[in-house]
Amino acid sequence: MKRLAVLGHPVAHSRSPAMHNAALAELGLAGEWSYEAIDLAPDELESRVRAMEGEGFVGANVTVPHKGAALSLADTLSETAREIGAANTLSFAAGEVRADNTDAQGLLDALPASPRGQRALVLGAGGAARAAVWALLREGAEVDLWNRTALRAERLCAELGGRPVATPEAGAYELTVNTTAVGLRGEDPFAELPLESAGFAAGQTVVDLVYGDRPSLLLAVAGEAGAAVVDGIEVLVRQGALSLETWTGMSAPLDTMRTAARK
Ligand code: ATR
């Protein structure tokens, strides 16, 4: 059996096992490959990852809070992972751990159109924000970055580019990407984030990486105003598809993955 996993803490809520196992079945690989969730505390990550190839693992996705540590422990890094400073995809072969980042391209793949030339606002300064800023700049967008803790936004922009902003201009952005945790526990995005519900309109795109069983309040309001909306599940599907292609060399069945991730 070729094994795959998602490593996180907590990880029980992850939709990745259902999504990847459905994809493996669709590809006719269900008897040969399997994907599981493994909860690892930060101090267990490195020794467990080192042991995984010996346990039959071919690769793993890495999620909160391990994306930075995954990069540090890897033997080889893709250029994307190195530049972003975070990894969400590990591959194990010949005793080596290779780290890659598919969050960046996954975000771009989830957008309805290329962000080239667009004014973009990214909210947050964690690992997901790093991937978003890197991807949007590389694609030719102009990126403003806001974070609750301004110093973190300044540091991120000093490293990756983009412009830290204290007060984003309402209605000025063709693309808004929320990478903060706001909304995860029902917080009001219009109270916690520098966004105005009246600032959204047709012609804009709003991405919210937060996902749950129902559309986030941010996406509900933006969609109501006519903006194109992309939720966290679509981004999860797109990054997962790229990881699966890295491990299997096969093209990932997007619709099957979407259906399984949304259940
Ligand atoms: P990840 O790696 O998933 O991006 P992270 O490093 O834990 O996660 O970052 C979480 C982000 O959510 C941060 O940008 C955090 O802001 P701070 O840097 O100021 O902590 C943001 N965040 C969490 N709760 C928030 C809230 N109530 N209001 C605004 N931002 C919030």
Side-chain angles (χ1 to χ4, degrees):
M1 189 61 108
K2 291 180 175 162
R3 299 170 76 187
L4 299 167
V6 55
L7 314 177
H9 188 63
V11 79
H13 65 282
S14 172
R15 299 188 185 198
S16 289
M19 173 174 87
H20 282 281
N21 284 316
L24 291 167
E26 176 75 24
L27 292 172
L29 298 177
E32 272 172 78
W33 293 70
S34 70
Y35 190 111
E36 62 206 89
I38 302 177
D39 195 312
L40 291 177
D43 65 351
E44 302 173 301
L45 181 74
E46 178 150 15
S47 61
R48 186 66 205 275
V49 164
R50 293 266 159 228
M52 286 180 85
E53 190 183 354
E55 297 168 8
F57 285 92
V58 172
N61 283 125
V62 180
T63 187
V64 179
H66 302 312
K67 289 185 183 184
L71 188 84
S72 320
L73 68 79
D75 304 299
T76 52
L77 306 179
S78 70
E79 192 159 320
T80 308
R82 186 176 50 75
E83 288 185 15
I84 293 169
N88 74 322
T89 305
L90 299 176
S91 303
F92 313 123
E96 290 217 328
V97 176
R98 177 184 164 82
D100 207 336
N101 186 309
T102 67
D103 285 332
Q105 188 61 44
L107 171 64
L108 295 175
D109 289 350
L111 295 177
S114 165
R116 183 171 306 280
Q118 291 186 349
R119 272 194 82 182
L121 174 66
V122 176
L123 305 164
R130 296 182 69 92
V133 168
W134 184 90
L136 296 175
L137 285 172
R138 197 199 50 164
E139 211 50 31
E142 193 187 310
V143 179
D144 284 358
L145 181 72
W146 175 91
N147 192 53
R148 177 178 61 182
T149 310
L151 185 61
R152 290 187 79 197
E154 284 158 25
R155 286 199 181 130
L156 192 159
C157 291
E159 249 183 89
L160 293 178
R163 193 170 64 128
V165 293
T167 316
E169 191 187 333
Y173 298 96
E174 290 149 288
L175 176 61
T176 301
V177 182
N178 176 36
T179 77
T180 74
V182 173
L184 209 54
R185 287 172 199 83
E187 303 92 333
D188 178 357
F190 302 103
E192 309 282 322
L193 301 174
L195 297 174
E196 286 175 25
S197 52
F200 297 113
Q204 300 176 355
T205 300
V206 181
V207 182
D208 193 352
L209 296 186
V210 166
Y211 65 80
D213 293 330
R214 283 179 291 132
S216 69
L217 180 59
L218 173 58
L219 293 189
V221 169
E224 188 67 27
V229 297
V230 176
D231 70 6
I233 294 185
E234 182 62 19
V235 180
L236 178 81
V237 166
R238 296 298 189 138
Q239 63 77 35
L242 295 169
S243 298
L244 194 65
E245 288 171 8
T246 302
W247 299 317
T248 65
M250 293 169 83
S251 145
L254 287 173
D255 283 335
T256 299
M257 295 177 80
R258 258 184 214 115
T259 304
R262 287 195 188 283
K263 259 189 196 148

